[in-house]
PDB file of all heavy atoms in Angstrom:
ATOM      1  N   GLU W 321    -156.838  36.894  59.829  1.00 92.00           N
ATOM      2  CA  GLU W 321    -158.272  37.234  59.851  1.00 92.00           C
ATOM      3  C   GLU W 321    -158.648  37.989  58.578  1.00 92.00           C
ATOM      4  O   GLU W 321    -159.741  37.768  58.002  1.00 92.00           O
ATOM      5  CB  GLU W 321    -158.586  38.059  61.101  1.00 92.00           C
ATOM      6  CG  GLU W 321    -158.611  37.200  62.362  1.00 92.00           C
ATOM      7  CD  GLU W 321    -158.562  38.020  63.640  1.00 92.00           C
ATOM      8  OE1 GLU W 321    -158.283  39.231  63.566  1.00 92.00           O
ATOM      9  OE2 GLU W 321    -158.789  37.432  64.715  1.00 92.00           O
ATOM     10  N   SER W 322    -157.781  38.877  58.108  1.00 91.00           N
ATOM     11  CA  SER W 322    -158.032  39.604  56.848  1.00 91.00           C
ATOM     12  C   SER W 322    -158.097  38.609  55.698  1.00 91.00           C
ATOM     13  O   SER W 322    -158.971  38.698  54.811  1.00 91.00           O
ATOM     14  CB  SER W 322    -156.910  40.615  56.583  1.00 91.00           C
ATOM     15  OG  SER W 322    -156.873  41.574  57.594  1.00 91.00           O
ATOM     16  N   GLU W 323    -157.166  37.655  55.675  1.00 90.00           N
ATOM     17  CA  GLU W 323    -157.141  36.629  54.628  1.00 90.00           C
ATOM     18  C   GLU W 323    -158.450  35.832  54.643  1.00 90.00           C
ATOM     19  O   GLU W 323    -159.056  35.592  53.587  1.00 90.00           O
ATOM     20  CB  GLU W 323    -155.942  35.709  54.873  1.00 90.00           C
ATOM     21  CG  GLU W 323    -155.795  34.593  53.853  1.00 90.00           C
ATOM     22  CD  GLU W 323    -154.640  33.648  54.202  1.00 90.00           C
ATOM     23  OE1 GLU W 323    -153.792  34.008  55.046  1.00 90.00           O
ATOM     24  OE2 GLU W 323    -154.600  32.542  53.632  1.00 90.00           O
ATOM     25  N   ARG W 324    -158.897  35.452  55.823  1.00 91.00           N
ATOM     26  CA  ARG W 324    -160.112  34.645  55.942  1.00 91.00           C
ATOM     27  C   ARG W 324    -161.352  35.450  55.531  1.00 91.00           C
ATOM     28  O   ARG W 324    -162.301  34.911  54.939  1.00 91.00           O
ATOM     29  CB  ARG W 324    -160.256  34.134  57.384  1.00 91.00           C
ATOM     30  CG  ARG W 324    -159.213  33.069  57.723  1.00 91.00           C
ATOM     31  CD  ARG W 324    -159.558  32.301  58.976  1.00 91.00           C
ATOM     32  NE  ARG W 324    -158.742  31.106  59.055  1.00 91.00           N
ATOM     33  CZ  ARG W 324    -159.080  30.007  59.696  1.00 91.00           C
ATOM     34  NH1 ARG W 324    -160.257  29.956  60.300  1.00 91.00           N
ATOM     35  NH2 ARG W 324    -158.289  28.977  59.721  1.00 91.00           N
ATOM     36  N   ARG W 325    -161.312  36.732  55.878  1.00 91.00           N
ATOM     37  CA  ARG W 325    -162.450  37.596  55.520  1.00 91.00           C
ATOM     38  C   ARG W 325    -162.557  37.716  54.000  1.00 91.00           C
ATOM     39  O   ARG W 325    -163.654  37.640  53.424  1.00 91.00           O
ATOM     40  CB  ARG W 325    -162.258  38.976  56.145  1.00 91.00           C
ATOM     41  CG  ARG W 325    -163.476  39.886  56.024  1.00 91.00           C
ATOM     42  CD  ARG W 325    -163.376  41.113  56.920  1.00 91.00           C
ATOM     43  NE  ARG W 325    -162.141  41.869  56.694  1.00 91.00           N
ATOM     44  CZ  ARG W 325    -161.121  41.904  57.532  1.00 91.00           C
ATOM     45  NH1 ARG W 325    -161.188  41.227  58.676  1.00 91.00           N
ATOM     46  NH2 ARG W 325    -160.045  42.620  57.243  1.00 91.00           N
ATOM     47  N   ILE W 326    -161.432  37.873  53.280  1.00 89.00           N
ATOM     48  CA  ILE W 326    -161.433  37.960  51.816  1.00 89.00           C
ATOM     49  C   ILE W 326    -161.950  36.655  51.223  1.00 89.00           C
ATOM     50  O   ILE W 326    -162.772  36.646  50.297  1.00 89.00           O
ATOM     51  CB  ILE W 326    -160.009  38.288  51.299  1.00 89.00           C
ATOM     52  CG1 ILE W 326    -159.613  39.706  51.715  1.00 89.00           C
ATOM     53  CG2 ILE W 326    -159.910  38.135  49.782  1.00 89.00           C
ATOM     54  CD1 ILE W 326    -158.154  40.022  51.512  1.00 89.00           C
ATOM     55  N   LEU W 327    -161.447  35.525  51.762  1.00 89.00           N
ATOM     56  CA  LEU W 327    -161.893  34.213  51.272  1.00 89.00           C
ATOM     57  C   LEU W 327    -163.398  34.035  51.478  1.00 89.00           C
ATOM     58  O   LEU W 327    -164.103  33.525  50.596  1.00 89.00           O
ATOM     59  CB  LEU W 327    -161.126  33.093  51.996  1.00 89.00           C
ATOM     60  CG  LEU W 327    -159.656  32.915  51.597  1.00 89.00           C
ATOM     61  CD1 LEU W 327    -158.964  31.959  52.545  1.00 89.00           C
ATOM     62  CD2 LEU W 327    -159.565  32.391  50.168  1.00 89.00           C
ATOM     63  N   ALA W 328    -163.884  34.489  52.635  1.00 89.00           N
ATOM     64  CA  ALA W 328    -165.320  34.354  52.935  1.00 89.00           C
ATOM     65  C   ALA W 328    -166.158  35.176  51.947  1.00 89.00           C
ATOM     66  O   ALA W 328    -167.208  34.717  51.459  1.00 89.00           O
ATOM     67  CB  ALA W 328    -165.580  34.789  54.373  1.00 89.00           C
ATOM     68  N   ARG W 329    -165.675  36.375  51.604  1.00 87.00           N
ATOM     69  CA  ARG W 329    -166.412  37.238  50.670  1.00 87.00           C
ATOM     70  C   ARG W 329    -166.417  36.638  49.263  1.00 87.00           C
ATOM     71  O   ARG W 329    -167.411  36.692  48.537  1.00 87.00           O
ATOM     72  CB  ARG W 329    -165.788  38.626  50.657  1.00 87.00           C
ATOM     73  CG  ARG W 329    -166.022  39.376  51.968  1.00 87.00           C
ATOM     74  CD  ARG W 329    -165.432  40.757  51.933  1.00 87.00           C
ATOM     75  NE  ARG W 329    -166.162  41.622  50.969  1.00 87.00           N
ATOM     76  CZ  ARG W 329    -165.808  42.848  50.662  1.00 87.00           C
ATOM     77  NH1 ARG W 329    -164.735  43.377  51.215  1.00 87.00           N
ATOM     78  NH2 ARG W 329    -166.512  43.543  49.792  1.00 87.00           N
ATOM     79  N   LEU W 330    -165.289  36.055  48.859  1.00 88.00           N
ATOM     80  CA  LEU W 330    -165.212  35.399  47.547  1.00 88.00           C
ATOM     81  C   LEU W 330    -166.221  34.252  47.480  1.00 88.00           C
ATOM     82  O   LEU W 330    -166.927  34.081  46.485  1.00 88.00           O
ATOM     83  CB  LEU W 330    -163.800  34.894  47.281  1.00 88.00           C
ATOM     84  CG  LEU W 330    -162.736  35.941  46.899  1.00 88.00           C
ATOM     85  CD1 LEU W 330    -161.346  35.341  46.968  1.00 88.00           C
ATOM     86  CD2 LEU W 330    -163.017  36.481  45.499  1.00 88.00           C
ATOM     87  N   LYS W 331    -166.250  33.442  48.541  1.00 89.00           N
ATOM     88  CA  LYS W 331    -167.167  32.296  48.572  1.00 89.00           C
ATOM     89  C   LYS W 331    -168.630  32.772  48.534  1.00 89.00           C
ATOM     90  O   LYS W 331    -169.468  32.184  47.848  1.00 89.00           O
ATOM     91  CB  LYS W 331    -166.922  31.471  49.828  1.00 89.00           C
ATOM     92  CG  LYS W 331    -165.634  30.649  49.754  1.00 89.00           C
ATOM     93  CD  LYS W 331    -165.394  29.910  51.077  1.00 89.00           C
ATOM     94  CE  LYS W 331    -164.078  29.134  51.017  1.00 89.00           C
ATOM     95  NZ  LYS W 331    -163.783  28.480  52.298  1.00 89.00           N
ATOM     96  N   MET W 332    -168.895  33.833  49.290  1.00 88.00           N
ATOM     97  CA  MET W 332    -170.259  34.359  49.310  1.00 88.00           C
ATOM     98  C   MET W 332    -170.641  34.907  47.938  1.00 88.00           C
ATOM     99  O   MET W 332    -171.755  34.691  47.445  1.00 88.00           O
ATOM    100  CB  MET W 332    -170.356  35.461  50.382  1.00 88.00           C
ATOM    101  CG  MET W 332    -171.758  36.066  50.501  1.00 88.00           C
ATOM    102  SD  MET W 332    -173.008  34.839  50.958  1.00 88.00           S
ATOM    103  CE  MET W 332    -172.531  34.512  52.633  1.00 88.00           C
TER     104      MET W 332
END
Side-chain angles (χ1 to χ4, degrees):
E321 285 165 348
S322 298
E323 180 184 345
R324 289 195 166 206
R325 189 167 55 252
I326 293 168
L327 287 170
R329 291 181 68 185
L330 284 168
K331 286 176 182 177
M332 181 61 70

